[in-house]
Amino acid sequence: MHARDAVFLEDLCPKLRVRRWRQSLHSYTHKTCIYCGKPSESIDHVLPQSRGGLSVTENCVPACLACNGQKSDADAFEWYRRQRFYDPRRAMAIRAWMDGDLRLAMRLLQWANPQLQPQREPQRHTPASAPIPLHGGMLQPQAA
């Protein structure tokens, strides 16, 4: 059986794919609003759909209901600059998100909100006694 012959649950239920996508957006920001830092309950289109914005990761950000409702179909950056909670680091994070650089966006959000812990990748290290590969040969660590 080939991979293209398989039937995936997401193919049978498109709403499941959308739900997982929305959950993944919230997980990037640890379920906090990208604008104000409060808990996020919705997804906001940075470029509103009424102005031609698409429902893609680069245009959709986690937002609290208050920010999403207040922003409505306004330009995100113009609206955000007028808010009392405006933070230039968050504005740069939104721009990085829109450019598709989620890694930079997360670093900027962590800088703006130090309580957010970065999602750590598993550490890859070799034990001190294990041989280290070196261009096809093996280099044995020297005893001290």
Side-chain angles (χ1 to χ4, degrees):
M1 183 168 162
H2 294 31
R4 66 179 179 267
D5 295 333
V7 177
F8 296 98
L9 183 59
E10 292 175 344
D11 295 333
L12 297 174
C13 184
K15 287 184 179 183
L16 182 62
R17 178 179 297 147
V18 172
R19 181 181 299 156
R20 286 185 180 161
W21 173 72
R22 293 173 68 90
Q23 289 172 345
S24 72
L25 291 180
H26 286 287
S27 70
Y28 281 118
T29 62
H30 300 285
K31 298 183 180 179
T32 59
C33 176
I34 200 162
Y35 300 116
C36 68
K38 294 179 181 174
S40 63
E41 299 120 351
S42 64
I43 301 293
D44 180 49
H45 289 78
V46 179
L47 177 63
Q49 288 180 310
S50 62
R51 295 184 180 191
L54 301 174
S55 293
V56 294
T57 302
E58 292 81 11
N59 190 45
C60 295
V61 294
C64 65
L65 292 176
C67 288
N68 199 353
Q70 288 174 3
K71 181 184 155 289
S72 186
D73 65 346
D75 177 74
F77 294 99
E78 289 178 17
W79 170 82
Y80 189 50
R81 277 188 224 108
R82 294 190 309 258
Q83 302 310 306
R84 292 179 59 210
F85 51 80
Y86 174 77
D87 185 342
R89 297 169 294 192
R90 288 185 177 278
M92 288 188 294
I94 296 165
R95 177 62 66 193
W97 187 294
M98 289 181 67
D99 291 341
D101 193 350
L102 296 180
R103 185 178 216 177
L104 175 60
M106 296 306 97
R107 302 277 317 247
L108 290 165
L109 288 174
Q110 290 165 6
W111 185 32
N113 187 6
Q115 291 84 10
L116 289 180
Q117 294 298 321
Q119 294 177 349
R120 297 186 184 256
E121 295 179 16
Q123 293 182 354
R124 296 180 199 139
H125 64 279
T126 57
S129 61
I132 301 168
L134 179 66
H135 302 290
M138 298 301 275
L139 176 67
Q140 295 292 335
Q142 297 179 359

